[in-house]
Amino acid sequence: MLDPAVRKLALSHFAVAFGTFGLAAVMGFYQVLERSGMFPALQSPGVYFASVSTHGVLMAYVLTTFFIMGFGYVTAVSSLKTPLWYLKGAWIGFWISTAGTVLAAIPLLLGRASVLYTFYPPVQAHAVFYVGAALLVVGSWFWCVIMIVMHGHWKKAHPGEAVPLPMFATTANAILWLWTSAGVAAEVVFQLIPWALGFKETVDVGLARTLFAWTLHPIVYFWLIPAYIALYSFVPKAAGGKLFSDELGRAAFIMLLVLSLPIGFHHLYMDPEQGTGFKLSHGALTFLVAVPTLMTAFTVSASLELAGRIRGGTGLFGWIGALPWRNPMVLAGILAGAMLVLGGFGGLVNASYAMNAMVHNTAWVAGHFHLIFGGTTIIMYMATAYYLWPRLTGKPLCSNTLPLAQLWSWFWGFAILTTAWHILGLLGQPRRISTVTYNSPLTFAWDPYVLTMVVGGTVLTVSAGLFVYILAQSYRQASTGTVPAYEIEYAEALGAVTRVHPLLNGFRAWNIAIAVLMLMNFGYPIAQFFLIKTFDSTPWGY
Amino acid sequence: MHIHPLERKWIYLVLVVIGLFLAAIFYTALVRNIHPPSHLETIDSASLHLSKEFAEDKLGVWTEPDGTIKVTVVAARYGFYPREIQLPAGTPVTFRIASADVLHGIHIPMTNMGTMVVPGYVSEITTTFPKPGEYPMLCNEYCGLGHDHMWSKVTVVAKDSWPAAPGTATIGR
Ligand SMILES: [Cu+2]
């Protein structure tokens, strides 16, 4: 039962998340138009790179962090069936993160922080940007602590019982985020802020990039885990079936937590400051983290098949047609799966130790992560929002068909946009350029795909606008009294889980495993900057 | 722990597939010696102009005493220096690149010549261009507002029509 205090808390988080999403989507539209070169009036590198930086920060950091926090509070209260622990702390976290977002947004929008969303020293942003980004993260740590404490309290009150899967996964994500954010926090606090404030004259770029790589891959799983929670807990139920396996779900979340941390060097394959041995080791672990995702694909497909057969589907594929495609959660689950397969394939190419050279920093990479992040992850956030909205506001959605049109257009928009980007990448177009100026016949081959990109971007912008409209319109409606009670329902497991192995119910041993793996994979690569003679760089404007 | 037989089969299949991928990567890395460009060598970006290798008159294409071809390049906002180079097809060429200011990335489309250029470090990459042609050698990492315009022209010519580069020994290296 969601009490009014939790509902208000969650809705406030979602308002920030989806409000910034709408703003960032408009910027994405501007970027494809600018890049197409079809509208000379729009051409401006200054505006373009400010826009790319803001789009990235809002989408990747603000939308995700606020959505994850809001969703986590709802999950904790509704799956554990206990009141929220430390409501005041949750609000403190919310306001710190909001203040950080506003602080970071000011220099971003003024073009004084055009360092993209990966910070890129020695190009230096205004100090306020780094401080704002740090506060956004600090606020989210309140959420992490609340999740971990609630998990612990529940276990103490229910000795020997299995923690409900959605909460188990949420706690895994809170622990993951604490480990993950440590890398970028060290970079920002010890390197970038003192440097931007002028206390230090130079910065070691190799060290900064290594610390950022620590954060850069597991952060993707921080974003993805809530989407997986929806796939495990909401999709099977919405389809009219059960979750195929609860225990393997736990195993998948643990593998995501443990294996996603020590693999950041696949972002540094083409960098000179790390040796081949460590790159190879990170690369091997990167492939292993595909295992929990493939397990999830099996469990979710099996759960859907179960539901399809319960609904009367027969034959090898008949169950697919029997699924309730007009349920937004089911539709989103299927479309997310499709985009995960395509995006995952691109990811295996990126992660391949030597093959990466072919596509590194080309439009291929933008295509890959827009499929996984914009596609798989955000489409599940959208479906979750449609599911939670009536349960948080007490009002029905304003329409039953608009959400379906919105989800389909989101899928097709990304299908068109990312196909173009993957091809452009293979043809050698770099990502992160605002306009094409290379006076080379090679680049004429890019033109048709640049046009395709504009079409995809247009579809996506309409879809994003529709999403924000549906939520706002539904919020403004009058209560009808016909909506479900303030109750969240999770899928039951096929084989009821009463007792599970302690290793599948808590994280102590896994934290030790992470510490060992991190020490092995990041220990010397970070220490080397203090052991060998390195030369720092002076700051440069944007 | 309870695992459905079908699920067990799927997990075995997944492990076999991932194992095959890893085997291919380790084989090409350890047996065929194919690695991404990793080259841990530090340099002071602020004084490249005074260095033995990256001073202005020492940039460009050189023939080393042992006959190998070497190209020294400085990446600086917003260009790669030299702005034009000519190289032979079908011959191994070693690029050594240093940044004078910020982060850059160097890439020649449709070839595997590419590496990040991080200030404070020397990037080194050896490659062979299969086909003659004219290529942009471009910056693929955001380096500032002029990033779009950062590129040099590389002309790859047939091995026979390539005018041999001067030896590095002649300039006292
Ligand atoms: Cu550059």
Side-chain angles (χ1 to χ4, degrees), chain A residues 508-521:
Chain A
R508 192 158 301 154
W510 300 116
N511 274 312
I512 298 168
I514 294 170
V516 171
L517 280 172
M518 286 301 281
L519 195 66
M520 278 165 51
N521 280 285

Side-chain angles (χ1 to χ4, degrees), chain A residues 71-85 143-155 162-175 225 229 232-233 246 250 253 490 504-505 507:
Chain A
F71 186 34
Y73 293 130
V74 171
T75 307
V77 169
S78 61
S79 71
L80 299 181
K81 300 192 168 50
T82 57
L84 187 73
W85 176 77
W143 173 81
C144 294
V145 171
I146 292 172
M147 292 300 106
I148 293 167
V149 168
M150 286 185 75
H151 178 106
H153 283 172
W154 192 90
K155 266 180 77 174
V163 179
L165 180 65
M167 187 57 196
F168 183 78
T170 302
T171 313
N173 208 19
I175 294 171
I225 283 179
I229 293 175
Y232 276 98
S233 303
D246 178 285
R250 285 164 201 274
F253 284 113
Y490 298 99
L504 292 180
N505 207 31
F507 297 97

Side-chain angles (χ1 to χ4, degrees), chain B residues 78 80 103-105 139 141-143 147 150:
Chain B
Y78 294 105
F80 291 108
L103 190 65
H104 300 278
C139 179
E141 187 55 277
Y142 173 73
C143 56
H147 167 58
M150 182 159 171

Side-chain angles (χ1 to χ4, degrees), chain A residues 94-106:
Chain A
F94 172 80
W95 285 112
I96 293 178
S97 288
T98 305
T101 303
V102 173
L103 276 185
I106 296 166

Side-chain angles (χ1 to χ4, degrees), chain A residues 270 274 279 353 432 434 437, chain B residues 35 38 114 116 141 147-148:
Chain A
M270 305 300 281
Q274 293 295 348
K279 287 180 181 174
Y353 182 67
R432 296 177 181 149
S434 72
T437 54
Chain B
H35 297 281
S38 254
M116 297 295 295
E141 187 55 277
H147 167 58
D148 299 342

